[in-house]
């Protein structure tokens, strides 16, 4: 059920997307629209996505967020959310990320899936996801909530495309029988210093559960995950703030290193 009008959805999508494109802070939407529902929040996210596609931007994948206890505790939110990834979010491994295009970025170590068969909820489970997975790759997500001081509630963050802004994909892929995603370890370093460590099971017990949840959440809107979709399953550890000049590198057990520099 939605409580906002069509015009309010349009205006709020423009409001959030402008803050993203021009890198400025806004206050959380529920302050001004306390009656906003989850359906309204997703309508705002999908409207911003539609606006981007209408300008020729390509959607290149999806992400789940707030899928680990570390992240849920850090943000004070107890439910996962999803967002889309646009073509210009993608940064090559070893590349530069421009601080002047962002507000207050943080980095997250994630496992990404690439599918080979469609997944459509409701009722999608881990078994379906494992069967539909082509391969996995390591990824680092850069999040940049448009909300002041990263302070939001779940509805507001959904409307803001779940804080999505940049991502870096590693070049080392694995099939699911080559890795144990529950015990797969990650070590995050900034300027050579270890800042966070974790293992895949932090993400809903198994990162494939995150893909299943995405399929089921999309199913509620009649949408599916098409074959060939790149999906980031959510930060394994808490997100770590970065500043200009930082060199980041995340090591994934058996899957190499993903690195970037904030300039
Ligand atoms: C929301 C996005 C969280 C993740 O991997 O948990 C996210 C936020 O914390 O700003 O991408
Ligand atoms: Mg993330």
């Amino acid at each position: 059920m939605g409580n906002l009008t069509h015009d309010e959805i349009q205006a709020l999508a423009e409001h959030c997307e402008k803050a993203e494109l021009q890198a400025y802070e806004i206050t959380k939407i529920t302050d001004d629209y306390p009656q906003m529902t989850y359906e309204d929040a997703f309508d705002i996210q999908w409207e911003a996505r539609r606006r981007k596609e209408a300008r020729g931007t390509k959607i290149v994948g999806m992400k789940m967020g707030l899928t680990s206890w570390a992240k849920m505790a850090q943000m004070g939110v107890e439910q996962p959310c999803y967002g889309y990834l646009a073509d210009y979010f993608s940064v090559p491994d070893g590349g530069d990320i421009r601080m002047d295009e962002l507000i207050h970025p943080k980095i997250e170590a994630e496992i990404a899936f690439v599918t080979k068969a469609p997944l459509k909820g409701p009722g999608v489970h881990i078994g379906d996801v494992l069967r539909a997975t082509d391969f996995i790759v390591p990824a680092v997500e850069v999040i940049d909530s448009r909300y002041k001081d990263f302070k939001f509630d779940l509805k507001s963050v959904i409307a803001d495309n779940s804080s999505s802004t940049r991502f870096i994909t590693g070049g080392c892929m694995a099939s699911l029988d080559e890795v144990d995603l529950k015990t797969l370890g990650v070590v995050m370093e900034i300027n050579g210093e270890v800042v966070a460590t974790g293992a895949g099971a932090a993400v809903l017990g198994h990162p494939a559960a995150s893909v299943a949840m995405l399929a089921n959440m999309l199913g509620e809107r009649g949408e599916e995950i098409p074959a060939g979709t790149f999906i980031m399953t959510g930060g394994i550890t808490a997100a770590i703030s970065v500043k200009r000049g930082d060199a980041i590198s995340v090591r994934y057990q058996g899957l190499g290193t993903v690195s970037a520099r904030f300039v």
Side-chain angles (χ1 to χ4, degrees), residues 63-64 108 110 141 143 234-235:
K63 61 82 80 67
M64 284 292 281
E108 301 181 320
E110 308 206 8
E141 180 172 26
I143 52 169

Side-chain angles (χ1 to χ4, degrees), residues 106-151:
K106 298 183 184 181
I107 57 166
E108 301 181 320
E110 308 206 8
I111 304 291
F113 282 58
V114 176
T115 60
K116 62 182 174 191
L119 285 165
K120 183 159 188 176
V124 173
H125 56 71
I126 286 191
D128 300 320
V129 175
L130 298 181
R131 193 184 52 216
T133 299
D134 196 356
F135 56 89
I136 59 138
V137 278
V140 171
E141 180 172 26
V142 182
I143 52 169
D144 193 32
S145 175
R146 269 54 69 170
Y147 299 118
K148 192 170 170 0
D149 303 326
F150 257 93
K151 292 228 166 62

Side-chain angles (χ1 to χ4, degrees), residues 6 10 13 17 43-57 59 84:
H6 177 75
Q10 303 268 318
E17 208 216 349
D43 283 349
I44 293 167
Q45 181 187 129
W46 280 86
E47 172 58 19
R49 171 180 173 152
R50 191 199 62 74
R51 291 166 57 91
K52 286 194 192 306
E53 289 189 279
R55 288 195 301 266
T57 298
I59 302 306
Y84 58 84

